[in-house]
C-alpha cells in the first residue's frame, strides 16, 4: 500500500479529505439522478426553433421542433455511470486507508490514546462522546489526541 510509510497525522488528514470528497460526489450523483428521472417522465419534451433557409435575401421562415432530447439524455446517463464508478473507486480507497490507519493505531502503546484515536477516526465519534466512553473532559481528550499527533 502506498500509505504504509506516511505518519498518522497525514493519513488522518487524507481520511477526512476523502470522506468529504465522497460526500460531494454523492451529492452530485443524486442531482444527476433527479435530472434523469425528470427527463424520464413521459411528458418531458424540449423545443427549438430552426430556420428553413433563405431564397435569395428573403427568409423562408422558421419551424418549431418539439421532441425528446435523446443525445442530451444519453450524455447524462453516461456521466452518471462514470460518476458512480468514480465514487466506487473513492469508497475502495477509503476502506484501504481506514485499514492502514487501524494498523497504525494498533501499534500505539498507550491504551487511552489508542482508544481515543480509534473512537475519533475509525468510529467517527465527537469529543463529547469520546469523553463519555474514555473518561475525562472533551477538551482533555482532544488535547491528548493533538499532542500525540504532533509528537508522532
Amino acid at each position: 500500500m502506498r500509505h504504509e510509510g506516511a505518519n498518522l497525522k497525514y493519513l488522518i488528514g487524507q481520511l477526512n479529505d476523502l470522506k468529504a470528497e465522497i460526500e460531494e460526489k454523492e451529492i452530485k450523483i443524486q442531482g444527476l439522478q433527479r435530472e434523469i428521472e425528470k427527463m424520464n417522465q413521459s411528458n418531458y419534451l424540449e423545443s427549438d426553433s430552426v430556420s428553413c433557409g433563405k431564397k435569395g435575401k428573403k427568409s423562408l421562415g422558421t419551424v418549431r421542433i418539439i421532441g425528446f432530447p435523446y443525445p442530451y439524455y444519453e450524455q447524462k446517463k453516461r456521466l452518471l455511470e462514470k460518476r458512480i464508478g468514480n465514487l466506487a473507486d473513492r469508497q475502495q480507497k477509503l476502506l484501504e486507508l481506514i485499514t492502514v490507519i487501524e494498523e497504525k493505531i494498533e501499534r500505539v502503546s498507550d491504551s487511552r490514546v489508542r482508544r481515543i484515536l480509534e473512537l475519533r477516526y475509525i468510529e467517527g465519534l465527537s469529543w463529547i462522546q469520546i469523553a463519555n466512553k474514555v473518561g475525562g473532559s472533551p477538551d482533555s481528550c482532544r488535547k491528548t489526541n493533538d499532542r500525540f499527533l504532533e509528537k508522532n
Side-chain angles (χ1 to χ4, degrees):
M1 234 175 252
R2 58 178 189 222
H3 295 299
E4 289 294 333
N7 70 21
L8 189 57
K9 185 175 180 179
Y10 170 78
L11 294 175
I12 289 168
Q14 287 296 301
L15 177 71
N16 293 332
D17 289 343
L18 197 52
K19 284 180 179 179
E21 185 180 1
I22 287 171
E23 187 175 318
E24 291 164 3
K25 286 191 178 299
E26 288 172 339
I27 290 169
K28 286 181 179 180
I29 287 171
Q30 289 169 0
L32 199 50
Q33 286 172 329
R34 282 191 299 273
E35 193 174 338
I36 290 171
E37 284 175 25
K38 182 179 174 185
M39 292 177 82
N40 280 330
Q41 293 173 352
S42 61
N43 59 351
Y44 185 84
L45 298 174
E46 287 189 355
S47 66
D48 195 9
S49 295
V50 294
S51 172
C52 293
K54 292 184 177 183
K55 185 173 184 182
K57 291 186 178 184
K58 187 176 179 183
S59 174
L60 296 175
T62 59
V63 176
R64 187 169 178 213
I65 299 174
I66 300 173
F68 186 80
Y70 284 107
Y72 183 70
Y73 176 75
E74 290 299 320
Q75 178 186 12
K76 291 293 181 182
K77 283 178 50 177
R78 282 191 304 275
L79 181 59
L80 178 62
E81 290 171 7
K82 187 174 183 179
R83 284 185 179 169
I84 289 172
N86 287 341
L87 176 63
D89 290 344
R90 294 302 188 286
Q91 289 170 330
Q92 182 61 38
K93 286 180 183 178
L94 178 65
L95 292 175
E96 292 170 3
L97 184 57
I98 288 172
T99 302
V100 171
I101 291 172
E102 284 177 334
E103 290 170 359
K104 289 195 176 277
I105 289 173
E106 284 301 315
R107 293 187 209 132
V108 174
S109 60
D110 187 307
S111 178
R112 184 170 193 271
V113 173
R114 191 172 50 248
R115 287 182 64 209
I116 289 171
L117 293 171
E118 286 175 358
L119 293 170
R120 180 67 177 175
Y121 302 110
I122 305 303
E123 306 275 331
L125 299 183
S126 69
W127 292 118
I128 294 171
Q129 293 169 317
I130 293 169
N132 288 336
K133 288 185 177 256
V134 175
S137 72
D139 279 342
S140 70
C141 292
R142 184 185 52 77
K143 287 178 184 175
T144 300
N145 171 76
D146 293 347
R147 281 190 212 110
F148 176 80
L149 292 178
E150 286 302 319
K151 184 178 164 187
N152 298 296

